[in-house]
């Protein structure tokens, strides 16, 4: 199994899961907008769930609803982030954003329902015992709420409006919440499904998440909007603090490469079995979208 | 114990719970907006959780996190409903709405984080065994997502834009989802906490929820905006299908009174112990706010 194959397999399983679960629901525009919002994307989070599960002897037939949960959670955050009152983006994953295809009200509701759907997914009995399922709910709620992803968003908004001078530490903390928390949850899902110790994968994902974000900042400066499938060069325009701004382009690339080494080192307990996750860490900083 | 006292006690316990849990979180504006959004209100849903729990021998020290969950969920729905792209309301519970005090982005995020917080509340170990907690998560996610509350919202929006001729059956179904599902979940929470049969309280709450909505429609026509603490006379202006519009004012009052009788009859298995819930059903159609 190579990384490309594992990512493709994860993407296929996740898409089939969404189609199965969502197409059975009431045929209202909000349902269609939910299905639209969960299409495409790299499925990095879903892949991390399925791959960390495999490392702990848990197959995709048991882990899939955890992968769907985190992808639905991630999709909701993108739909709301793209709203005119937030980042005001017209393009996402190479397609018009939900509020452009439908309208803002539908985008708000579809995002809301995707968050609900994420928690509903975690109650599926295939995932395991009630202990395991409630542990997944508890950890995902902490990772995505006011102590995690939303806190990161709030810190981002506060930093822009308060005119504080950002530094590497403050931007690192912000990103550890804004994008890191969900990536960490995804990689910890495997051990959680097996009631095993998540600390090695937690360390892996913390380094991976930060490397991923630095790569995003680099992509914003160097990338091709058509390949990336979203608007680029927006950070400088918005006066956002980025790792490129703080460390310079070369400094940011060095930091990202160091983090990838750190992520790979954290996988030592898994030996050769951790190869696909090592490849994923390298992919995180070499991707074009 | 009278209804007034039980409502006041529920309101106090719920507010103390929110203060405890939210004030400990990071001090960002979104956190302040969350605290602001959960203040005030009738706490009908929190009361139904605590009272249905009492009927099943479960005290408030065990049930409180279920009451907080449904009140947080309800608060999130109000914050998002009030957004300019939704109902565009400036006033809620007698105070400026969240997007008026802060801004739209903060209102979107605060609503999002309140939903997450609701599910986090349901993982609290005081609620009972993992089986009981995951049952609460599963039922609340069904009640509030694309098969419940959000479906009702979507049906409401679709009815307005499609220009379909509404009838009593379609408006009843819409409202059973939009407001009924959360009220039903609240009344079923007690039996769920006790791993008991929720069917009597489910029947009670279905009738109560519809009576409550008809009373809202009547209040929109007859109420005093200052006492109600929100904008009134907006349904007719928006061309919304209401029970008053479909049944006439007298017809709506008769239907609401019939539903209150139906709700009370469903409480028969609880005998005299169901008195406060009977009072609550009568209160639902006599309230001024």
């Amino acid at each position: 199994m190579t990384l490309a194959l594992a990512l493709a397999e994860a993407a296929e399983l996740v898409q089939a899961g969404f189609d199965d679960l969502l197409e059975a629901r009431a045929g209202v525009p909000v349902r269609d907008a939910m299905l639209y919002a969960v299409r495409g994307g790299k499925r990095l989070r879903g892949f991390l769930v399925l791959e960390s599960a495999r490392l702990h002897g848990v197959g995709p037939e048991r882990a899939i609803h955890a992968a769907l949960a985190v992808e639905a959670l991630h999709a909701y955050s993108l739909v709301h982030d793209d709203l005119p009152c937030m980042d005001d983006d017209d393009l996402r994953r190479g397609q018009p954003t939900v509020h452009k295809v439908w309208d803002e009200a539908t985008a708000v509701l579809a995002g809301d329902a995707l968050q609900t759907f994420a928690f509903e997914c975690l109650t599926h009995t295939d995932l395991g015992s009630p202990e395991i399922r409630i542990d997944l709910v508890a950890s995902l709620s902490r990772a995505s709420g006011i102590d995690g992803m939303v806190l990161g968003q709030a810190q981002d908004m506060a930093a822009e409006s308060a005119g504080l001078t950002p530094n590497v530490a403050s931007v690192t903390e912000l990103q550890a919440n804004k994008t890191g928390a969900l990536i960490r949850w995804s990689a910890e899902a495997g051990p959680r499904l097996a009631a095993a110790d998540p600390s090695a994968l937690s360390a892996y994902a913390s380094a991976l998440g930060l490397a991923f974000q630095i790569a995003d900042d680099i992509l914003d400066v160097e990338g091709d909007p058509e390949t990336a499938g979203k608007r680029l060069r927006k950070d400088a325009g918005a006066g956002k603090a980025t790792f490129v701004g703080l460390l310079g382009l070369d400094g940011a690339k060095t930091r990202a490469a160091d983090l990838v080494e750190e992520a790979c080192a954290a996988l030592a307990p898994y030996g050769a079995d951790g190869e696909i996750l090592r490849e994923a860490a390298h992919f995180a900083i070499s991707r074009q979208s």
Side-chain angles (χ1 to χ4, degrees), chain A:
Chain A
M1 178 76 90
T2 63
L3 173 66
L5 208 57
L7 277 170
E9 198 177 282
E12 196 176 329
L13 285 169
V14 165
Q15 194 54 56
F18 281 132
D19 288 346
D20 253 21
L21 290 170
L22 285 172
E23 282 175 359
R25 307 299 171 106
V28 284
V30 172
R31 192 276 316 258
D32 299 336
M34 291 169 74
L35 267 165
Y36 180 86
V38 296
R39 281 190 197 284
K42 287 174 288 294
R43 304 297 191 200
L44 173 71
R45 293 158 190 78
F47 155 77
L48 287 173
V49 169
L50 296 174
E51 182 60 19
S52 67
R54 190 190 64 77
L55 283 177
H56 286 268
V58 175
E61 70 290 349
R62 253 196 73 199
I64 185 65
H65 285 88
L68 294 172
V70 74
E71 288 287 345
L73 211 306
H74 178 54
Y76 119 67
S77 78
L78 298 182
V79 172
H80 282 187
D81 271 8
D82 289 339
L83 284 169
C85 69
M86 306 279 283
D87 283 353
D88 194 14
D89 271 312
D90 296 351
L91 205 63
R92 169 69 67 182
R93 295 171 173 171
Q95 300 292 328
T97 45
V98 172
H99 66 272
K100 297 305 275 184
V101 178
W102 285 270
D103 50 38
E104 283 182 56
T106 303
V108 169
L109 278 182
D112 289 345
L114 279 170
Q115 177 172 190
T116 321
F117 180 77
F119 288 106
E120 187 185 344
C121 282
L122 292 182
T123 67
H124 201 285
T125 51
D126 284 351
L127 287 165
S129 68
E131 283 83 354
I132 284 174
R133 286 179 280 148
I134 203 74
D135 176 50
L136 291 170
V137 172
S139 52
L140 185 62
S141 65
R142 282 195 305 271
S144 56
I146 188 65
D147 287 332
M149 185 179 76
V150 170
L151 174 61
Q153 288 270 32
Q155 289 172 323
D156 206 4
M157 284 163 52
E160 278 178 66
S161 63
L164 297 173
T165 309
N167 54 48
V168 173
S170 69
V171 177
T172 299
E173 194 208 317
L174 184 165
Q175 294 298 350
N177 292 319
K178 191 175 167 184
T179 57
L182 272 202
I183 289 178
R184 218 155 41 237
W185 185 87
S186 306
E188 290 175 9
R192 287 187 189 280
L193 282 163
D197 177 10
S199 57
L201 284 170
S202 184
Y204 163 79
S206 295
L208 172 75
L210 193 53
F212 190 85
Q213 185 55 48
I214 296 176
D216 240 28
D217 289 353
I218 295 169
L219 199 61
D220 187 70
V221 174
E222 290 194 329
D224 167 26
E226 203 155 321
T227 315
K230 60 183 175 183
R231 187 159 60 92
L232 297 178
R233 324 274 186 269
K234 60 184 181 181
D235 293 341
K240 284 209 182 195
T242 70
F243 288 102
V244 173
L246 290 163
L247 299 169
L249 198 50
D250 285 346
K253 286 180 180 178
T254 304
R255 181 84 186 98
D258 289 349
L259 283 163
V260 167
E261 288 316 305
E262 199 180 312
C264 291
L267 293 172
Y270 296 98
D273 218 18
E275 190 47 34
I276 290 181
L277 287 185
R278 279 184 204 95
E279 276 185 58
H282 287 283
F283 164 74
I285 63 166
S286 63
R287 68 204 160 85
Q288 301 303 313
S289 70

